[in-house]
Amino acid sequence: MTGPPPSGGPPPLPEALYEAGFPVDLLTEEQREVLSELTPEELALLLDVKRRLDAVGPEVQAHGEIAGGALF
């Protein structure tokens, strides 16, 4: 897991994004700026969607491996 960038770098992102496992190190500066400007409500929604996607991730991945990805 990575942490927030040192000061003077790209726009700071909410710590919750790092804790949730978002690949923040792979984001463009423009994407980081958008995320840094999220309202608390938007951030909560984004984290909830990621949590739900992560919860079904293994099932979808297993189907892709079993079916060879032909169905998904």
Side-chain angles (χ1 to χ4, degrees), residues 5-71:
S7 61
L13 295 175
E15 185 67 30
L17 293 175
Y18 294 94
E19 292 172 1
F22 275 87
V24 294
D25 295 333
L26 303 177
L27 300 175
T28 66
E29 186 171 336
E30 292 83 5
Q31 291 169 325
R32 294 176 64 87
E33 186 173 334
V34 168
L35 291 174
S36 71
E37 296 171 353
L38 291 177
T39 65
E41 294 81 12
E42 291 170 328
L43 179 59
L45 177 62
L46 180 62
L47 293 173
D48 181 54
V49 169
K50 181 173 187 325
R51 180 190 54 78
R52 289 187 279 159
L53 288 172
D54 288 347
V56 297
E59 180 182 338
V60 172
Q61 290 171 359
H63 286 164
E65 292 169 11
I66 292 169
L71 300 176

